[in-house]
Amino acid sequence: MDKQEYKGIPISPGMAVEKPYFIEQEKKEIPNEKIYDVKAEVGNFIEACHKTITKIEKMEKEAKKRVGGKEAEVFAVHAAILKDQYSFISPVQQKIECEKKNASLAVEEQLKFIEKTMSESDSELFQARASDIRDIRNQLISEILHSELGSIPTKEPCIIVTHELTPSMTMKMDFSYVKGIVSEVGGPTSHAAIIAKSLGIPAVAGIADAMEHMDTEEMIILDGDAGNIIIHASEEEIEKAKDDVRRQEEEVHQLKKYIGCPSKTRDGKTISLYGNIGNGAEARNALQEGAEGIGLFRSEFLYLNRDTLPSEEEQFQEYKKALEVMGTKRVIVRTLDIGGDKPQKAIDIEEESNPFLGFRAIRLCLKRKELFQTQLRALLRASEYGNLAIMFPMISSIEELEAAKEELQNVADALRKEGVLIKDKIPVGMMMEIPSAAILANEFAKKVDFFSIGTNDLTQYTLAVDRGNEAVSELYTIYHPAVLKLIKNIAEAAHKEGIECGICGEAGGDRRLLPLWIGLGIDELSTVPKSILKIRKSLAKLDCKKCNKLVDKVFKMNTASDIKKLLEGKEEK
Ligand code: PEP
Ligand code: MG
């Protein structure tokens, strides 16, 4: 049979080559007959609810152990739905008592009603929760009908292929055998993606009718970076893909030895390798991946996918969690960087024709003071629990920086007056991601404790290229000499004033650019936690003198393509 390639959505990186294991999410047949013993049927329903809740709570505990608290929260939501007297238990009971419906039919109807209300809601969060309802439905109805839900008895390495990966399904899997996941539905923020990524399992979603294309006796190739699957591949292709998997496993294995090692070059220059996170719970993962601190806590992630703003207390708990986990290690929390590609529903912002150049980040915070003050209060209160540093995003002028610092001071004074304990010296830094700030770096360096270069936006704003627009993506390059000159200017300005200069944009985790960052004297690199050990390994092979020479060469070049060629030649193979 001819090879077939299917393009889906990449949701968790890596390669896998195994036979598929299908998980059919067959719907249980619901009996239609009326009941006569109402009391017994209500009893049956309540007992099934209790049993299902107990199982869900067990899964929650298991999930906490396997993937952490944040991902386990979904099980608490499942249990809460089944415990909800007003929208679930009473309506089902009424259907049994008044309409004489059997328990499974009554449950089916009520959960369908809840699912419909959720999927028609404007809230993405509620829409996503609709799939949770299907998950609960299957579990509860199996319990009522006394039929065990199919477990996943894989004791052979396999690639799980399913319509939709549900949280309860993942808890039934033994991940030492699951080498990859293919789902017909789901996107990068689906549960499948979150769980697969945190377990490091390659996964692809969006392969329509996945099961129809495959044969359980034939190997499939899954490429989680490209978002592809290949079926009916030739022997040769299978062998080649297996080699890739072996290399990948070997690399992960080899990298383990860098955990706990200092991050230094061959000739002894030390830099800090930090992790980027989006909530408090991710700090633990960063620590396990070898992070020596958190270089960028994107606090706006706490505001996304919800209809209401996170309260001061809620934010305080998130920051506290990260600070406690990291102990004495530094945690740099960036204040709200909302807008641009990170729009947010709970904040009322008029539609803009140029949101990347619009009312966003610090500009918004300085106008919507109550929003900013709530966040600053939460941060300052949390400062007592670890080594906090605060960083302002999208600073383009000295006035903006002064205004943000003044607001921070006012909030600190007010809290102290209330008798709240706050750390005495909290370092305050700024993102360097707007060319005007990069050009005036000398002036800014006198007013902050550290810089962190946001290469993603600095590239976009320097080159006037939208960082998310496919049509101009070829023009979006960190290798452009103008971008690199700005970075050099920032680093030199920082060092002249004796402050630290880090990089927290994607380029900070790019091994090809590492010699350049060392040559420029960058003090700290912050990246997705999964890249930390790879960077530490590459760093150990570098020599500062060579890096300095490379910097001289780079800054004599005047095209991005020449610089890229030079740096790629230096990349560790
Ligand atoms: C950046 O712009 O490089 C950065 C780190 O911030 P974000 O990607 O969140 O805009
Ligand atoms: Mg940015």
Side-chain angles (χ1 to χ4, degrees):
M1 219 178 277
D2 287 345
K3 162 179 145 181
Q4 286 168 7
E5 193 166 336
Y6 295 91
K7 178 105 194 90
I9 306 163
I11 59 171
S12 179
M15 289 282 278
V17 190
E18 291 300 341
K19 290 179 182 164
Y21 183 92
F22 297 155
I23 302 177
E24 309 263 2
Q25 279 148 317
E26 90 288 12
K27 278 192 110 189
K28 292 256 166 305
E29 273 310 310
I30 306 289
N32 208 0
E33 66 260 17
K34 288 214 180 272
I35 45 106
Y36 299 97
D37 189 348
V38 169
K39 214 166 146 218
E41 198 64 2
V42 170
N44 186 15
F45 162 62
I46 299 291
E47 195 192 334
C49 274
H50 284 316
K51 282 190 179 158
T52 311
I53 290 168
T54 309
K55 283 186 185 169
I56 291 174
E57 286 172 345
K58 240 169 100 189
M59 285 193 238
E60 187 188 356
K61 272 198 200 132
E62 183 63 25
K64 270 190 189 144
K65 267 195 264 153
R66 284 197 196 178
V67 289
K70 184 83 190 155
E71 283 72 30
E73 276 168 19
V74 64
F75 294 103
V77 175
H78 287 191
I81 292 171
L82 293 187
K83 286 178 191 168
D84 189 331
Q85 191 71 35
Y86 174 75
S87 51
F88 182 64
I89 298 181
S90 294
V92 171
Q93 244 172 297
Q94 240 178 10
K95 283 178 197 289
I96 299 173
E97 285 165 358
C98 308
E99 299 169 39
K100 307 276 181 287
K101 288 190 167 139
N102 67 64
S104 52
L105 186 61
V107 164
E108 166 88 345
E109 284 183 3
Q110 189 55 24
L111 285 179
K112 256 200 184 142
F113 173 75
I114 300 176
E115 185 191 336
K116 187 164 174 281
T117 318
M118 283 182 162
S119 51
E120 283 171 358
S121 142
D122 287 338
S123 153
E124 270 176 37
L125 187 71
F126 269 5
Q127 288 168 14
R129 285 276 179 261
S131 76
D132 291 341
I133 299 288
R134 293 192 286 278
D135 196 11
I136 302 171
R137 172 210 177 271
N138 287 346
Q139 295 175 71
L140 182 56
I141 288 182
S142 300
E143 204 63 65
I144 293 171
L145 300 175
H146 307 291
S147 63
E148 248 313 290
L149 251 189
S151 63
I152 302 165
T154 58
K155 283 287 171 243
E156 298 274 324
C158 67
I159 291 176
I160 294 285
V161 180
T162 184
H163 174 66
E164 180 177 26
L165 189 73
T166 63
S168 64
M169 230 188 241
T170 54
M171 286 309 119
K172 289 182 174 183
M173 290 177 191
D174 182 341
F175 282 104
S176 43
Y177 296 102
V178 177
K179 302 295 175 196
I181 299 169
V182 177
S183 67
E184 293 179 332
V185 298
T189 56
S190 63
H191 287 121
I194 294 166
I195 292 170
K197 251 191 263 166
S198 44
L199 291 164
I201 297 176
V204 175
I207 306 283
D209 305 323
M211 294 184 231
E212 278 172 31
H213 304 305
M214 300 170 199
D215 179 337
T216 46
E217 287 309 309
E218 199 187 21
M219 292 278 189
I220 60 171
I221 302 174
L222 181 159
D223 181 343
D225 296 273
N228 280 347
I229 58 159
I230 300 177
I231 59 175
H232 312 314
S234 67
E235 284 288 313
E236 246 183 351
E237 283 165 319
I238 301 261
E239 281 315 309
K240 191 181 160 299
K242 280 186 177 169
D243 281 347
D244 288 344
V245 173
R246 273 192 285 273
R247 256 198 301 277
Q248 182 180 290
E249 284 168 356
E250 182 54 27
E251 188 178 20
V252 171
H253 183 70
Q254 291 290 335
L255 285 175
K256 292 267 186 278
K257 67 174 186 235
Y258 289 91
I259 293 182
C261 289
S263 305
K264 58 179 182 189
T265 59
R266 207 172 59 190
D267 51 345
K269 182 182 162 52
T270 309
I271 71 163
S272 306
L273 288 184
Y274 288 2
N276 291 351
I277 59 171
N279 60 50
E282 282 173 22
R284 184 165 302 284
N285 175 40
L287 199 61
Q288 281 162 356
E289 295 287 345
E292 294 159 323
I294 299 299
L296 173 63
F297 183 143
R298 286 183 164 98
S299 68
E300 59 279 5
F301 282 14
L302 306 175
Y303 293 65
L304 303 179
N305 288 333
R306 50 187 293 161
D307 293 326
T308 55
L309 292 170
S311 65
E312 178 185 319
E313 186 57 26
E314 209 176 314
Q315 291 190 56
F316 163 73
Q317 292 298 343
E318 287 290 332
Y319 306 141
K320 177 170 171 263
K321 207 183 293 171
L323 287 160
E324 283 180 337
V325 165
M326 298 306 290
T328 54
K329 295 183 166 65
R330 176 172 281 192
V331 176
I332 303 176
V333 180
R334 177 174 73 184
T335 60
L336 188 58
D337 183 16
I338 219 80
D341 58 342
K342 290 174 277 195
Q344 206 283 145
K345 284 188 203 147
I347 305 171
D348 180 29
I349 306 176
E350 290 212 353
E351 207 165 295
E352 302 177 297
S353 49
N354 258 322
F356 272 110
L357 303 180
F359 189 48
R360 55 173 301 201
I362 199 71
R363 301 168 182 182
L364 178 107
C365 286
L366 291 174
K367 286 270 160 46
R368 306 267 172 97
K369 289 278 175 68
E370 58 319 318
L371 189 75
F372 199 27
Q373 286 162 356
T374 304
Q375 175 167 45
L376 295 177
R377 280 180 66 90
L379 277 168
L380 292 173
R381 280 175 54 205
S383 68
E384 274 293 289
Y385 296 87
N387 182 1
L388 174 72
I390 295 176
M391 172 160 78
F392 300 121
M394 298 283 298
I395 297 284
S396 66
S397 70
I398 298 280
E399 291 93 320
E400 256 169 2
L401 176 63
E402 299 284 18
K405 281 172 64 181
E406 192 183 321
E407 205 53 55
L408 180 64
Q409 188 60 50
N410 291 343
V411 174
D413 291 347
L415 279 169
R416 287 202 174 98
K417 254 195 206 147
E418 289 171 31
V420 177
L421 289 177
I422 302 172
K423 270 264 167 74
D424 255 349
K425 283 202 171 63
I426 301 171
V428 174
M430 62 180 277
M431 290 285 294
M432 274 288 178
E433 52 185 346
I434 296 189
S436 60
I439 292 165
L440 291 181
N442 273 325
E443 299 308 317
F444 282 103
K446 295 176 188 143
K447 296 178 181 293
V448 287
D449 298 311
F450 64 93
F451 286 156
S452 186
I453 306 175
T455 49
N456 308 338
D457 277 323
L458 188 62
T459 306
Q460 140 163 290
Y461 292 126
T462 305
L463 304 180
V465 181
D466 181 341
R467 64 194 252 190
N469 184 342
E470 275 295 308
V472 287
S473 61
E474 267 179 41
L475 301 175
Y476 182 90
T477 170
I478 176 82
Y479 296 101
H480 195 296
V483 180
L484 296 179
K485 273 192 185 152
L486 287 180
I487 294 176
K488 184 166 181 269
N489 194 46
I490 297 166
E492 285 173 354
H495 296 140
K496 206 167 133 221
E497 285 302 324
I499 65 167
E500 286 200 355
C501 181
I503 295 181
C504 62
E506 297 311 300
D510 188 333
R511 286 191 277 183
R512 291 168 300 186
L513 291 152
L514 190 57
L516 188 58
W517 304 149
I518 297 302
L520 287 174
I522 297 296
D523 305 284
E524 169 247 304
L525 294 171
S526 193
T527 175
V528 286
K530 276 260 174 281
S531 299
I532 293 172
L533 295 179
K534 290 182 190 166
I535 297 280
R536 189 168 293 153
K537 180 181 170 199
S538 301
L539 191 63
K541 295 184 177 159
L542 292 181
D543 177 281
C544 286
K545 265 197 219 108
K546 282 192 188 155
C547 294
N548 293 342
K549 276 196 195 139
L550 183 78
V551 167
D552 291 341
K553 263 195 195 166
V554 165
F555 286 98
K556 283 193 186 110
M557 295 180 158
N558 57 15
T559 67
S561 54
D562 283 348
I563 297 175
K564 187 163 188 265
K565 243 184 263 158
L566 175 70
L567 291 177
E568 283 184 345
K570 294 275 163 196
E571 190 197 6
E572 180 212 337
K573 291 284 179 288

